[in-house]
Structure formats: structure tokens, C-alpha cells
Amino acid sequence: DTGVSQNPRHKITKRGQNVTFRCDPISEHNRLYWYRQTLGQGPEFLTYFQNEAQLEKSRLLSDRFSAERPKGSFSTLEIQRTEQGDSAMYLCASSLESYEQYFGPGTRLTVT
Amino acid sequence: GENVEQHPSTLSVQEGDSAVIKCTYSDSASNYFPWYKQELGKGPQLIIDIRSNVGEKKDQRIAVTLNKTAKHFSLHITETQPEDSAVYFCAASPYSYGKLTFGQGTILTVHP
């Protein structure tokens, strides 16, 4: 049984560059969530998908952020024109229906 | 929206002692309350959860209690061990809607 996987694990980029992260959920989990976690804080909800449909986006998700989940399998989170304030851990979780979300190891983004 | 407050922010205990972490929530629609353990450099790991139709749930050394009237829930760890040292997060979510709202976290240190 494989858990949620995320790639890359670490990303260092210069301000203004675009970055893309990938999340592979647990097989057959129909819900997929993205959260952001800054140092010393709990994860904050960004967006979630049920199958391929994006059902909600947080106000934290500015127009520089976009997420997709083609075919209801893996998901990508893209940040355009990165800013230093985007530096954080980006966490992906998946669940079967609404409960018991299982998190991946996260992608740590550093914007210099 | 939901607001989750978690206390204490840090907790230091001796090996073998008990540890208690408390959370309060604001949205009476919330009915699912998971607890996560996060070790350095890793994603949050689900350790126990409780739904609003029960007041207490136990799994070996870990227990969670829920008081819906007062809108608070607690994590109890008995016979603590050094490997219990980590950051613990509580969270809340409404029925059929998977978005989790997290508390600020508690850094638990268990001294041998």
C-alpha cells in the first residue's frame, strides 16, 4: 500500500519564476486536498477536488495559484510569478469521501 | 468560518507521565475532529479521530474526548515515551465537507 506522494520534496526558486508541484493520492481516493503550512503554524486549506472537479478554493489562493486534477487521479499545483511570501510547505492529502484525510510528505518551497 | 484554538503551545513531560492537549472550535456545524502528529520534515500523520455522535474514543495509549455543548475536544496520551515527542495538531470539519481547519499546534517534548 503506497501513501500519498509529492514531488519534488524541495524546490528553491527565484522570485518571479513559475513552479509546479505534483501530488499522487492514495489509489481510489476520490477527494484530494491542498494545504499550505508556514513555520510554526497549522496547515491552511487551499483547495480541494472531488474526482476531477475543483469544488472550493480558499481566499488564500490568489490568481497566481492554479490547481488541476485531470482525470481525477494526480493533481498539480502551479504558482506563477512567485513571491517571497509563497515560501512554505505545500501539503497534499487524499480521502475516500469526506473523512480521514491522509497527508503526503509535502513540498518545501523556498523563494529567494 | 470555523476557528480552532489549541492549548498549550508547548508541553514538556517526563517519560511515563500523561499529556493533555485541548482545543476549542467555533462552528457548531463541525462534527469531525481528527488529531495529527507531525515530526520534523514530515507531513501530518493521522493518529486518532472522533465524530460528533460519540463522546470518547480510545486507541491504546491515546484517547480523545469531545464535549459538543462546550465546543471543545481534548487529546490524552498516557504513559508517554520519548518517541511521542512531536508537534500535535487538532482540526475540525463539518459533515460531508472535507475541509479541515487546524489549530496552531502543540510542541510535545517527552524527556527520558
Side-chain angles (χ1 to χ4, degrees):
Chain A
D1 176 37
T2 58
V4 177
S5 62
Q6 293 187 244
N7 288 288
R9 294 292 310 277
H10 304 273
K11 179 70 176 178
I12 300 174
T13 191
K14 294 184 177 180
R15 186 164 52 96
Q17 298 295 305
N18 299 342
V19 294
T20 300
F21 311 139
R22 175 176 171 132
C23 171
D24 287 88
I26 294 172
S27 179
E28 298 181 356
H29 277 192
N30 61 335
R31 290 198 176 213
L32 187 148
Y33 309 80
W34 285 99
Y35 292 82
R36 181 172 69 187
Q37 185 177 29
T38 53
L39 200 60
Q41 300 295 317
E44 295 176 294
F45 171 79
L46 292 178
T47 189
Y48 86 96
F49 295 83
Q50 179 165 313
N51 300 313
E52 65 275 10
Q54 188 174 18
L55 297 187
E56 184 174 348
K57 295 195 299 184
S58 164
R59 287 174 296 172
L60 293 174
L61 216 64
S62 75
D63 56 6
R64 296 185 298 107
F65 289 70
S66 63
E68 295 182 341
R69 193 184 182 197
K71 302 179 182 178
S73 55
F74 70 92
S75 176
T76 58
L77 177 68
E78 181 183 16
I79 309 174
Q80 296 182 329
R81 305 181 304 280
T82 52
E83 302 173 355
Q84 288 191 321
D86 297 330
S87 295
M89 175 78 86
Y90 290 84
L91 293 163
C92 175
S94 70
S95 74
L96 193 59
E97 298 308 327
S98 300
Y99 297 122
E100 298 173 344
Q101 293 182 29
Y102 296 95
F103 282 81
T107 294
R108 180 165 296 283
L109 173 66
T110 302
V111 181
T112 62
Chain B
E2 176 67 279
N3 182 53
V4 178
E5 298 286 336
Q6 183 172 345
H7 300 279
S9 56
T10 60
L11 181 58
S12 182
V13 299
Q14 289 296 126
E15 183 176 2
D17 287 349
S18 295
V20 180
I21 303 170
K22 299 182 178 181
C23 290
T24 60
Y25 62 99
S26 61
D27 189 349
S28 57
S30 289
N31 74 339
Y32 174 63
F33 307 93
W35 286 88
Y36 287 86
K37 175 184 180 182
Q38 188 173 28
E39 297 175 326
L40 198 63
K42 298 184 178 180
Q45 175 193 1
L46 179 66
I47 56 171
I48 195 168
D49 57 12
I50 191 168
R51 300 177 189 182
S52 62
N53 57 343
V54 297
E56 184 173 359
K57 182 177 179 180
K58 189 174 182 180
D59 182 4
Q60 299 183 346
R61 298 186 297 109
I62 294 174
V64 58
T65 58
L66 171 65
N67 183 328
K68 283 215 75 179
T69 302
K71 293 183 187 170
H72 65 71
F73 56 112
S74 301
L75 177 71
H76 304 253
I77 306 174
T78 59
E79 301 172 16
T80 54
Q81 301 167 3
E83 50 265 40
D84 294 330
S85 297
V87 183
Y88 290 80
F89 291 98
C90 63
S93 177
Y95 176 70
S96 76
Y97 175 45
K99 167 188 172 182
L100 292 175
T101 301
F102 284 83
Q104 298 89 339
T106 296
I107 301 172
L108 174 64
T109 304
V110 181
H111 299 281

